[in-house]
Amino acid sequence: MAKKFTASSQQLKPDPTYNNKLVSKFINCLMWDGKKSVAQRVFYDAMDVISKKMKDVQPLEVFETAVNNVKPLIEVRSKRVGGASYQVPMQVSAKRQQSLAFRWILESGRGKKGKPMCQRLASELMDAYNGHGGAMTTRENIHRMAEANKAFAHFAW
């Protein structure tokens, strides 16, 4: 009998350069149309740009700190009660925190135009490392919305 493929049976392998699973997952999110080698080249070129611009810090440390800085702690979700919809603040699971951080960093990097993707990604990662930039703005907006709607926190399920 053939082995049935499931997502849990497939293990994520660490990337070849940094031997890091977080980097491997980020490269998979960066990839478009199954072109992994292109995504790897963009990511590693971005790391080279970071290492040239920030000589005192390792690029992998910049990447990990940037992702941790962008992770949201709380988000708002819509909940219908009676005839009204409320924006209810809820805690974010660790897995969703990571996926949102990746999404926001990539979205912000892709939103900038006029430079190669590796330079846009490098600048976004450095901005997130320093606590500002597009991805950090998105995170702050989410936290601000949750703070504004904390009166509806008792509707959380």
Side-chain angles (χ1 to χ4, degrees):
M1 187 178 231
K3 186 177 178 186
K4 192 173 182 181
F5 174 79
T6 60
S8 61
S9 68
Q10 196 71 357
Q11 288 295 317
L12 182 72
K13 293 180 180 150
D15 76 298
T17 304
Y18 294 106
N19 198 29
N20 189 318
K21 287 188 178 184
L22 186 68
V23 171
S24 186
K25 197 171 241 185
F26 187 80
I27 288 171
N28 287 343
C29 291
L30 174 62
M31 176 172 54
W32 267 356
D33 294 332
K35 299 194 174 189
K36 192 165 195 162
S37 60
V38 174
Q40 283 177 328
R41 187 169 55 238
V42 166
F43 181 79
Y44 295 137
D45 288 350
M47 288 299 171
D48 290 341
V49 170
I50 290 170
S51 65
K52 287 174 187 164
K53 289 188 177 180
M54 301 179 81
K55 296 189 185 323
D56 56 330
V57 189
Q58 292 292 322
L60 188 61
E61 185 183 328
V62 171
F63 169 71
E64 289 176 345
T65 307
V67 169
N68 285 331
N69 286 350
V70 173
K71 284 181 181 177
L73 303 172
I74 198 163
E75 69 178 344
V76 291
R77 291 202 166 175
S78 291
K79 170 108 168 139
R80 274 185 70 81
V81 177
S85 283
Y86 297 105
Q87 295 290 317
V88 181
M90 303 188 83
Q91 281 190 326
V92 185
S93 70
K95 192 174 180 180
R96 182 157 168 80
Q97 282 181 355
Q98 188 181 67
S99 67
L100 285 172
F102 286 176
R103 191 179 311 155
W104 293 341
I105 289 170
L106 290 171
E107 196 175 273
S108 184
R110 287 180 179 139
K112 299 174 182 177
K113 295 295 177 196
K115 291 182 187 171
M117 184 58 190
C118 61
Q119 290 178 1
R120 293 181 285 169
L121 180 60
S123 73
E124 189 55 44
L125 287 171
M126 288 186 290
D127 285 349
Y129 175 78
N130 293 321
H132 48 82
M136 286 299 292
T137 304
T138 305
R139 177 187 187 265
E140 288 162 9
N141 288 343
I142 297 291
H143 280 199
R144 199 174 299 118
M145 278 176 55
E147 184 69 26
N149 288 298
K150 72 179 178 184
F152 305 122
H154 64 281
F155 288 129
W157 58 90

